[in-house]
Amino acid sequence: MAIATRIDLDTFNEQGFLVVENVFDPASDLDPVVAEYESLLDTLAGGWHADGKLPSTFRDLPFAQRFGRVLNEAPRDLNVMGHFDISLPFEGVREDTPIHLGPRTFGLLRNPRLLDVVEQFIGGEIYSNPIQHTRIKPPEHQLPEHLQGSSLLAKTDWHQDTGVHLPEADDTHLLTVWLPLTDATEANGCLCVIPGSHRQGLVTHCLRPGARIPDALLEGHPIPVPVKRGGVLFFHHLTKHASLTNTSDGIRWSFDLRYQPIGQPTGRPAFPGFVARSRQNPASAVTDWQVWANLWRATRSRLAQVQDAGKFTRWTGEEPICA
């Protein structure tokens, strides 16, 4: 297959990030994922309403408003966002811990148009790293107070992706792929980056709240990086980045994914990755979404049976600058 989009690796290597427009066709590549999530929300809202956990299904509302109403009306123990994310939590995993493992979402992870671009960064032996998330961020003023600290639903603090995986992957050629399902603007909370910060190495991250870089270590001049629907923001795993607050009237919906060469450590060995493409051994690529889903289900079952799932971060929370 011919590569439709040729990337500027010199700019990426200099700045630590690169926006590539029109990687996806919104109608054929993104709309099916949106439809899958709309169906999921419809199923969940209907079931929760039938069980008396929601006062209404809110079926007359479009997805963005409906999602917001469900977040506000649902009891805390429903863990609404967990049903939409494509990863598991670090602790407290049970057999019924929610995770979204749909076929259209799997199709996005191994979309040929995306992998054609990823291949230009890391080569043709492409492994889908298991550090991955879905983020659906309503206007922050509409979030219930107990959810305002969630990085999946509200703004994300400054961090480096190397700072959220284990040291085993420090030398892995890890590429972060951030793609919006809605236009990402300054108003609705697009990402910000510090250009060139990937050349400064890893800095200490503090664990309260989450994994974040303390202000004293934020050198450089941040810039917002809007991305239109269909485009992708690629960045180096040492690039310092955060997201703005969503001050708009709509949601900001995105996936953040990671890819790396096959055979290199993932930095999150407790979670499953998969071969997305192999030029050397094409048959090794996972093409069946149910195989991918079963990898995560097996991981959930395994973690549900152990009290200690192992380490997920290099930080202790006791670093002097975090005191």
Side-chain angles (χ1 to χ4, degrees), residues 52-64:
K53 297 178 179 179
L54 285 178
S56 168
T57 64
F58 309 108
R59 187 170 282 116
D60 58 324
L61 297 177
F63 179 86

Side-chain angles (χ1 to χ4, degrees), residues 245-266:
T245 297
N246 184 356
T247 60
S248 75
D249 293 327
I251 61 170
R252 196 222 73 192
W253 185 356
S254 63
F255 284 86
D256 50 91
L257 314 174
R258 290 160 181 78
Y259 296 91
Q260 63 178 76
I262 296 169
Q264 296 183 0
T266 68

